[in-house]
Amino acid sequence: MNAPQSLPLEFPVFDNSFAALPEAFYTRLQPQSLPAPYVVGISSEVAELLGLPPALLESPEFAEIFAGNRQLPGAEPLAAVYSGHQFGVWAGQLGDGRAHLLGGLRNDLGHWEIQLKGAGKTPYSRGADGRAVLRSSIREFLCSEAMAGLGVPTTRALCIIGADYPVRREAIETAAVVTRVAPGFVRFGSFEHWSSRRKPLELQQLADYVIDTFRPECRVAPNPYDALLRDVSRRTGELMAHWMAVGFMHGVMNTDNMSILGLTLDYGPFGFMEAFDAGHICNHSDHQGRYTYRNQPHVGQWNLYRLADAFLPLIKSPQQARAAVDDTYGDAFAMAFERLMLAKLGLRNGLPDDEEFIGNTFAFLQQHRPDFTLFFRTLSKLPAVKIESTAGPATIETTAGPRVNPENQAKTDAPLRDQFIDPAACDAWLASWRARQAQTPWSDAERQSAMLAANPKYVLRNWLAEKAIRLANKKDFSEVHRLLTCLRKPYDEQPEFEEYAALPPDWARGLEVSCSS
Ligand code: AMP
Ligand code: MG
């Protein structure tokens, strides 16, 4: 390991708040070096968040630093311990099996912890190799940044560093390290760890750390721990609503993958909804279908109950701990979900029957299975009030007087109707949507631009990630860079990336993702 002072460029000063906790919370250790590392991709946005000097991004040291080969001045690397419930079953101690927290920085934009994922074994590796493969690292890197672009709370990713170092999974792959960045990486399972070991002091120290570092407003509450649990519960409800609204499926919502800050955390076998199916299982290893799209809000709540159990020594009364979740989670989810769905549907003001309309819309999507992203994006561009004639007379004479020419309606609606095997079903739903629009009318131009800002054109479809991975495995990282650029602005029309908005091509039909990473 080179001496820290030999780094030729200035790096922001570390402020290692997690490392200030007692040693019981982690093991201090250095990342394992990775031979001949190279840069696969860098998120310049995250580099800016951290205040990294632009020259560092260009320097040969960059790959060495973020492969874990060279220590940053002020870093105090450590691997944290936690436990958790996996697939509904208590799994005991887990921990950062392949993550090294380098430390934290504080700047005008916030507090940022920097973590290397895949930089070698730790005491929590449980017999595994401590490495991550390029494939899963590309997925985590791109999806973190895509979710940030979508406006979903998430951990971020600064870069992927690759190496030709072989890693064995189902086949031999190559190693990579993703640098993750977030205000904090504390998990529900970090609390479950201490409560399962009957260590109320450590439990309280952890809660105090989270409150003092991230949620100082909880400190003034009659019971700060109750206030913290309510805060986590509310944020988790909002997070679930965001996931549902963009069609994101996490795939492994184990309590050790749930962020205490309400961030999307640990990208593994995630997926974005394509042909709509609320029962879709995106993780090939999830044999019971525990983490389907439709189950996510329920699992979020189940996980919060496990957190509430862990908080018992801090809150004392089981009723109060449970109430902290029950009083907050359902409302936070329902309010955020309704707000996001009204925006997706282009409804400016809510009405009492909207919950039913949203429910009917999901039932319609479930029955006819259009592509979730494409459906809402196409809908955004349809007229809500009047049918604009493109050819032929706008109205035709009928015995009952002039009527909208149905041929023109079909033409205007063709981009959406064409997504359905049964276009009449699409017509019927559109009629109900237009009837609802008529109850709270606004100018079509305003509504369309609002809907385009709520319905992304680009999400990280599995086939897009797969295409980038296949090229990257041949050392061509151009598709990683192009996707990163595109997914940073998912709500913008980007004609140069038109192909990324397309449905999965034939070769991608059988793609499967699993926990192997
Ligand atoms: P995950 O399902 O990815 O959230 O992982 C569950 C636990 O296994 C976490 O504690 C990880 O740190 C650990 N883990 C997963 N893969 C590896 C690996 N290749 N080496 C060491 N630990 C791992
Ligand atoms: Mg995990």
Side-chain angles (χ1 to χ4, degrees):
M1 186 78 48
N2 290 7
Q5 55 269 34
S6 67
L7 193 72
L9 292 153
E10 250 181 67
F11 192 83
V13 177
F14 273 97
D15 157 30
N16 299 331
S17 61
F18 191 82
L21 280 167
E23 301 258 328
F25 290 86
Y26 49 76
T27 303
R28 292 186 192 271
L29 78 176
Q30 296 295 330
Q32 278 165 21
S33 61
L34 194 59
Y38 41 81
V39 174
V40 174
I42 301 179
S43 166
S44 52
E45 237 179 59
V46 177
E48 270 175 43
L49 280 182
L50 293 176
L52 298 189
L56 179 67
L57 276 54
E58 308 290 333
S59 77
E61 280 82 16
F62 189 88
E64 294 287 337
I65 292 169
F66 294 103
N69 296 354
R70 188 152 174 184
Q71 191 173 321
L72 283 168
E76 295 177 273
L78 61 84
V81 68
Y82 51 82
S83 295
H85 282 84
Q86 298 187 318
F87 293 92
V89 178
W90 176 245
Q93 180 184 301
L94 302 163
D96 290 331
R98 51 169 169 176
H100 291 69
L101 183 70
L102 299 184
L105 312 171
R106 186 173 294 284
N107 61 24
D108 296 347
L109 301 170
H111 173 89
W112 308 105
E113 307 226 306
I114 305 174
Q115 191 184 64
L116 303 184
K117 180 168 176 178
K121 279 187 197 169
T122 78
Y124 316 110
S125 300
R126 297 180 300 149
D129 59 10
R131 292 295 179 187
V133 294
L134 181 61
R135 163 177 58 83
S136 65
S137 303
I138 288 174
R139 286 172 54 85
E140 170 136 27
F141 174 75
L142 288 177
C143 201
S144 309
E145 294 308 286
M147 293 287 265
L150 288 165
V152 180
T154 180
T155 61
R156 304 292 300 263
L158 169 67
C159 59
I160 314 175
I161 306 299
D164 294 345
Y165 184 83
V167 175
R168 181 182 292 276
R169 294 292 179 263
E170 281 80 3
I172 302 286
E173 302 186 46
T174 60
V177 177
V178 178
T179 299
R180 304 200 292 190
V181 171
F185 291 97
V186 176
R187 299 141 191 274
F188 288 16
S190 311
F191 287 87
E192 290 177 279
H193 182 73
W194 297 114
S195 101
S196 71
R197 297 188 164 205
R198 314 236 179 283
K199 297 271 192 188
L201 179 67
E202 283 81 357
L203 185 73
Q204 185 174 345
Q205 281 172 328
L206 185 63
D208 285 338
Y209 161 72
V210 171
I211 291 170
D212 294 340
T213 314
F214 306 107
R215 308 287 177 239
E217 63 280 7
C218 294
R219 186 58 72 196
V220 293
N223 179 333
Y225 310 113
D226 177 77
L228 175 61
L229 183 56
R230 284 169 183 265
D231 176 276
V232 179
S233 176
R234 185 175 53 73
R235 287 175 196 268
T236 305
E238 286 169 5
L239 182 68
M240 293 305 110
H242 275 286
W243 286 3
M244 301 304 273
V246 297
F248 176 77
M249 294 161 282
H250 183 285
V252 204
M253 288 178 67
N254 294 336
T255 57
D256 54 305
N257 292 337
M258 298 292 292
S259 154
I260 211 75
L261 303 180
L263 307 170
T264 312
L265 172 64
D266 277 8
Y267 291 91
F270 63 82
F272 280 90
M273 184 63 79
E274 297 192 296
F276 188 83
D277 174 12
H280 182 68
I281 303 170
C282 66
N283 175 2
H284 193 62
S285 316
D286 179 8
H287 307 293
Q288 313 287 320
R290 181 177 177 86
Y291 300 137
T292 57
Y293 174 83
R294 75 156 69 81
N295 281 359
Q296 294 188 133
H298 306 292
V299 174
Q301 187 169 24
W302 191 90
N303 289 342
L304 282 162
Y305 286 142
R306 301 293 74 76
L307 184 65
D309 293 344
F311 265 56
L312 259 185
L314 302 170
I315 294 183
K316 309 288 192 252
S317 131
Q319 289 78 15
Q320 194 185 340
R322 202 170 168 99
V325 177
D326 289 339
D327 293 349
T328 51
Y329 180 79
D331 285 350
F333 172 77
M335 278 175 62
F337 185 65
E338 184 159 324
R339 173 174 55 78
L340 294 167
M341 285 312 301
L342 291 183
K344 286 181 82 68
L345 289 161
L347 299 172
R348 185 164 49 164
N349 303 112
L351 292 177
D353 288 343
D354 284 344
E355 199 182 322
E356 193 183 333
F357 180 63
I358 293 167
N360 291 342
T361 299
F362 274 97
F364 156 74
L365 295 175
Q366 181 70 32
Q367 195 176 349
H368 299 282
R369 310 207 166 191
D371 180 86
F372 187 71
T373 302
L374 193 58
F375 173 82
F376 282 103
R377 185 75 182 181
T378 311
L379 179 69
S380 307
K381 298 177 186 173
L382 296 190
V385 186
K386 67 178 197 302
I387 308 303
E388 280 155 16
S389 164
T390 49
T395 55
I396 50 166
E397 284 305 321
T398 70
T399 47
R403 282 279 157 82
V404 168
N405 181 348
E407 260 187 41
N408 278 334
Q409 171 153 8
K411 269 190 198 134
T412 317
D413 294 345
L416 196 69
R417 297 178 92 243
D418 290 351
Q419 294 172 26
F420 288 80
I421 294 165
D422 178 3
C426 176
D427 291 340
W429 182 82
L430 269 175
S432 71
W433 177 68
R434 289 190 165 120
R436 172 61 191 81
Q437 284 287 346
Q439 293 179 284
T440 48
W442 54 335
S443 97
D444 245 18
E446 264 185 89
R447 179 196 50 81
Q448 287 188 15
S449 70
M451 283 182 76
L452 291 172
N455 291 306
K457 175 159 181 160
Y458 304 102
V459 292
L460 183 58
R461 295 171 184 272
N462 270 340
W463 77 269
L464 295 175
E466 181 64 22
K467 196 171 161 212
I469 290 163
R470 288 184 188 183
L471 281 173
N473 281 333
K474 295 187 224 159
K475 293 258 172 68
D476 175 352
F477 308 129
S478 59
E479 204 63 11
V480 174
H481 305 161
R482 276 170 57 80
L483 271 176
L484 177 65
T485 306
C486 170
L487 294 170
R488 188 168 282 158
K489 297 198 165 77
Y491 299 99
D492 289 4
E493 290 291 332
Q494 302 178 70
E496 69 277 30
F497 296 128
E498 195 62 35
E499 58 182 310
Y500 293 158
L503 299 180
D506 283 344
W507 63 260
R509 292 223 185 279
L511 281 183
E512 277 168 358
V513 286
S514 69
C515 280
S516 159
S517 61

